[in-house]
Amino acid sequence: MRIGKEKVSRISLAPVMLALSLAAGNFALTPSAYALSELHKIPGQPNDQPAQGSAQGQSQPQGGTTPGVPMADPLVNSQNSQGVDKTPGTQDNSKPVEVIYDISKAPEPVRKMRQQIVEAAASGDLERLRPLMGTGAEQTQVTVGEPTEDPIGTLKDLSGDPDGDEILAIMLDIVSTGFVHVGQGTADDMYVWPYFAEKDLKSLTPPERVELLRIVTAGDLSDMQEFGGYNFYRLGITPDGKWKFFTAGD
């Protein structure tokens, strides 16, 4: 999974590094590879806007996990910005949120949708996600900005392999982490995975860093810390069980 992302990263950074080297009179080219640089492929995704997140109060892992898949869901909270499309799930992160590992604390519709996503992704058949994504205004968002007519086709295009296996593996990794419940009592009420989008990545504990490195590479983590927050994939489910988004960005 990471090999595919780093390959894209090397390609996308090469023109920029070459231009800088020539301007300095130095013809040596030394591009650095960060797997998250592949996110430039997402239509409408702003790649230069900093994001930040913070969260406090993490509960200990408990029972209720899905066999073979670690439990948890975080959410995406980033700074509000005017005139720029925001990644679904981002919100005001000035208030601390609780990281939850016990899926039984989520409403039954949320638990059911998460389980269906896990089963579909684990099957290796991208098409099994389609019935879970809804249609029209209720369709699951997979890109930032304008909705796509074919979310499954878009996910396949974003994957590092022709069959979409990589994106399914990423999806499983995402819903296997701790999660957060945000926007209670508002139209943005949501259960979001992973919780890292709500955390200050520079303050992660050693166990939290290990958990994040199950999703991204060490280079990605370093890049995120410099960037100001988690900017990889995140997944959101509404309290009534609608799969709202699976997107990447800040």
Side-chain angles (χ1 to χ4, degrees):
M1 177 178 70
R2 295 175 181 167
I3 294 175
K5 290 183 284 184
E6 293 177 352
K7 178 179 179 182
V8 175
S9 171
R10 295 190 183 96
I11 295 173
S12 62
L13 289 179
V16 177
M17 296 301 294
L18 177 58
L20 293 175
S21 298
L22 291 176
N26 179 3
F27 292 90
L29 181 60
T30 313
S32 59
Y34 290 107
L36 295 183
S37 62
E38 76 170 347
L39 298 182
H40 76 281
K41 298 191 300 180
I42 301 178
Q45 173 62 46
N47 293 321
D48 57 354
Q49 179 185 351
Q52 62 184 31
S54 63
Q56 298 176 357
Q58 177 172 335
S59 61
Q60 295 298 319
Q62 302 180 34
T65 60
T66 301
V69 180
M71 257 1 277
D73 279 272
L75 103 83
V76 174
N77 290 340
S78 61
Q79 249 181 342
N80 293 332
S81 57
Q82 298 180 352
V84 180
D85 288 328
K86 293 173 57 183
T87 300
T90 59
Q91 64 174 36
D92 178 13
N93 54 18
S94 60
K95 297 181 180 180
V97 295
E98 176 189 9
V99 178
I100 308 170
Y101 282 90
D102 185 358
I103 192 63
S104 68
K105 292 184 177 181
E108 191 276 336
V110 175
R111 299 196 304 270
K112 181 178 179 180
M113 175 55 74
R114 179 194 174 277
Q115 181 62 31
Q116 290 177 318
I117 292 172
V118 166
E119 292 174 354
S123 75
D125 182 1
L126 201 59
E127 281 294 332
R128 285 190 56 177
L129 294 174
R130 192 181 295 278
L132 308 178
M133 292 184 144
T135 58
E138 299 296 320
Q139 181 177 283
T140 302
Q141 188 171 354
V142 295
T143 59
V144 176
E146 293 297 323
T148 177
E149 294 183 1
D150 181 11
I152 296 300
T154 298
L155 290 178
K156 183 176 291 188
D157 290 341
L158 292 172
S159 189
D161 67 293
D163 299 318
D165 293 341
E166 181 186 54
I167 208 73
L168 292 175
I170 291 173
M171 194 175 294
L172 280 175
D173 285 342
I174 294 302
V175 297
S176 297
T177 69
F179 61 99
V180 291
H181 182 196
V182 296
Q184 294 94 322
T186 73
D188 296 322
D189 196 343
M190 198 86 57
Y191 289 82
V192 183
W193 289 254
Y195 68 89
F196 302 108
E198 287 295 316
K199 297 280 289 184
D200 177 357
L201 299 187
K202 293 182 179 179
S203 68
L204 293 179
T205 65
E208 288 172 337
R209 286 198 300 272
V210 171
E211 188 173 16
L212 178 52
L213 289 172
R214 293 175 57 195
I215 300 174
V216 302
T217 67
D220 293 336
L221 175 54
S222 177
D223 196 31
M224 285 184 197
Q225 289 174 330
E226 182 177 355
F227 176 75
Y230 176 86
N231 58 2
F232 197 45
Y233 285 94
R234 72 286 311 279
L235 184 150
I237 301 175
T238 63
D240 59 354
K242 290 184 175 62
W243 183 6
K244 193 69 174 180
F245 59 82
F246 178 66
T247 57
D250 58 353

